């Protein structure tokens, strides 16, 4: 196991402001917009509003994307199952946003992936029906990911050796994309800051500020050192996801519930064979489960059931794990689903509009409401359309009475890339050849950095050049290196061990966040913070 590298001259000119400096910035000005919540919706709106020239502040009680927004199925997709409900227009819109993310906004973070839908004897769908479905699906994406088709069982078994072949008639094939949601989130935060936003995580709202009955800011507490401070703003946006009603009650104690929650759990397992494609596994006529190659492992899930507990307590239970493993067994051989292969399990909460009925059938839509004190609350969103959601909410902000925000907004470009945009293969090649004499980088490390940071990998490589000890792996069984920890602390608002291991690196996903590793990272962060 690697020892903790000593700290040298690896600080970069782009180091983010300290928490004290950020609190001072937040407390001494009146912002056009205060966004509370740094998940999918909050980061999208903060980025978009900053591009439009608004003075934006964003805070989160935990880490950015620290809850549900980093507990997704890691997909950027059109939504094949939506075709079954006749939502053709929705699928087409999703495909449009997916193409924008994968080609212009974040090609370094959003990767193409082939999906197989196995057709078994006695299964809920026939090959002709699925073949027609995947053809329509690919047509709605203008065949940008190839033509949906039906292929043979033998071809599928060759690409996914773990596939259960007993009774397998054929497979339907289509294309979609996947991403690391935590990395997309932190890059969106960085893009917002590059556009002028001031952001702070681990800052909890303890109350709202009012002027003449209107919400004009928030009281906050730094959860890391207890410092209390406040932020003034012309408009406050509540984008707190599962906690949206909690904040609405701060504005109006009598506010009626506006949302309901659905829990989605996932399991990550080690792979025992190559996975060259993902599986979309039909469970019944309406539900599917996924088996997706991800971070050298396989991601299984998800569940969909109503959740009524404290959002802070959501987790994957043994019952969830049993369900996920059981559903995966519809199409995956038993030896690939051994419980000893599990490295990580997690759960998040979908925010759905309030109302009766089964949560699995509820509409996945974004709802914006205005409260008694003029605070806007936004709820419901997904990564595939997060950029579109940010623009939709910005349009609503422009027309909020009494704020005149629309007069101060400038038109924004149709497409703005996230930081680090670049071809991962080209970046990895440069990381390997552009080395100091006598130094080298492991090819797996180069590939890992390129696919998680894009061209920002060169900043991490510079840290290693200046202090070679930072090039050591955090754990010998994974590709993450200590320079990523340094970079996360200096440039990516990582303050806690979980920030680093769960969301800035892939250590937790791989089951490598041992007590020893956690202690070493904690010590590293403490030393870094004292410099």
């Amino acid at each position: 196991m690697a020892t903790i590298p000593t700290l040298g001259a690896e600080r970069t000119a782009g180091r983010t402001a300290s928490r004290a400096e950020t609190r001072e910035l937040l407390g001494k000005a009146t912002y056009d917009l205060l966004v509370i919540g740094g998940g999918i919706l909050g980061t999208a709106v903060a980025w978009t509003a900053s591009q439009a020239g608004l003075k934006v502040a964003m805070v989160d009680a935990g880490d950015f994307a620290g809850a549900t927004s980093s507990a997704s199925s890691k997909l950027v997709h059109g939504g094949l199952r939506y075709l079954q409900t006749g939502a053709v227009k929705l699928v087409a819109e999703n495909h449009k946003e997916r193409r924008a993310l994968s080609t212009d906004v974040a090609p370094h973070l959003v990767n193409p992936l082939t999906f197989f839908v196995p057709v078994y004897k006695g299964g809920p769908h026939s090959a002709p029906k699925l073949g027609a479905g995947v053809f329509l699906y690919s047509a709605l994406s203008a065949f940008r990911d190839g033509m949906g088709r039906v292929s043979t069982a033998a071809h599928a078994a060759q690409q996914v050796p773990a596939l259960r072949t007993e009774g397998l008639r054929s497979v339907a094939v289509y294309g979609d994309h996947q991403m690391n949601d935590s990395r997309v989130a932190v890059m969106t935060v960085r893009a917002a800051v590059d556009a002028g936003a001031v952001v702070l995580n681990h800052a909890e709202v303890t109350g709202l500020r009012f002027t003449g009955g209107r919400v004009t800011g928030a009281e906050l507490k730094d959860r890391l050192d207890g410092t209390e401070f406040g932020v003034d703003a012309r408009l406050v946006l509540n984008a707190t996801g599962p906690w949206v009603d909690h904040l609405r009650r701060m504005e109006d104690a009598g506010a009626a519930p506006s949302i309901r929650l659905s829990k989605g759990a996932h399991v990550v397992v080690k792979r025992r064979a190559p996975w060259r494609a993902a599986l979309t596994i039909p469970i019944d006529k309406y539900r599917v489960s996924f088996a997706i190659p991800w971070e050298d492992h396989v991601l299984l899930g998800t569940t969909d059931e109503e959740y009524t507990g404290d959002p802070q307590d959501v987790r994957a239970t043994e019952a969830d794990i049993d369900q996920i493993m059981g559903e995966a067994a519809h199409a995956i051989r038993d030896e690939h689903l051994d419980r000893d292969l599990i490295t990580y399990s997690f759960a998040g909460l979908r925010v759905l509009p309030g109302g009766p009925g089964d949560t699995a059938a509820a509409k996945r839509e974004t709802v914006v409401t205005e409260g008694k004190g003029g605070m806007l609350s936004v709820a419901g969103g997904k990564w595939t359309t997060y950029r579109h959601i940010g623009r939709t909410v910005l349009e609503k902000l422009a027309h909020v009475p009494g704020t005149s925000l629309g007069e101060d907004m400038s038109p924004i470009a149709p497409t703005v890339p996230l930081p680090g945009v670049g071809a991962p293969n080209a970046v990895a090649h440069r990381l390997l050849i552009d080395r100091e004499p006598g130094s080298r980088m492991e090819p797996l490390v180069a590939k890992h950095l390129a696919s998680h940071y894009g061209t920002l990998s060169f900043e991490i490589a510079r840290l290693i050049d200046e202090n070679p000890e930072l090039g050591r792996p955090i754990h010998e069984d994974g590709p993450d290196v200590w320079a990523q920890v340094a970079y996360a602390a200096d440039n990516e608002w990582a303050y806690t061990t979980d920030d680093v291991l769960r969301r800035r690196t892939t250590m937790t996903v791989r089951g490598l966040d041992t007590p020893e590793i956690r202690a070493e990272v904690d010590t590293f962060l403490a030393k870094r913070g004292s410099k």
Side-chain angles (χ1 to χ4, degrees), residues 33-39 41-43 45 57-60 205 208 215 217-218 235-252 255-256 258-259 351 366-371 374-380 393 397:
L33 176 67
L34 168 60
V35 179
I36 302 173
L41 297 178
T43 57
V45 174
M58 180 175 70
V59 297
D60 193 289
V205 171
L208 297 175
V215 177
L235 183 66
V236 175
L237 179 72
N238 170 16
T240 53
W243 293 271
V244 67
D245 281 343
H246 170 72
L247 207 65
R248 288 178 64 247
R249 286 190 291 272
M250 285 188 181
E251 176 190 29
D252 175 11
S258 65
I259 63 167
V351 179
T366 302
V367 179
V368 182
T369 58
E370 183 174 357
M375 180 175 72
L376 290 190
S377 294
V378 57
V393 174
L397 298 182

Side-chain angles (χ1 to χ4, degrees), residues 24 35 41 172 276 336 392 488 530:
E24 184 178 359
V35 179
L41 297 178
R276 300 182 183 92
H336 297 273
T392 300
S530 67

Side-chain angles (χ1 to χ4, degrees), residues 28 31 59 108 112-113 137 148 221 278 320 372 394 467:
K28 72 180 184 181
Y31 288 82
V59 297
H108 54 313
L113 184 63
Y137 188 71
K221 181 177 181 179
D320 294 327
K372 186 176 181 181
L394 182 69
N467 183 353

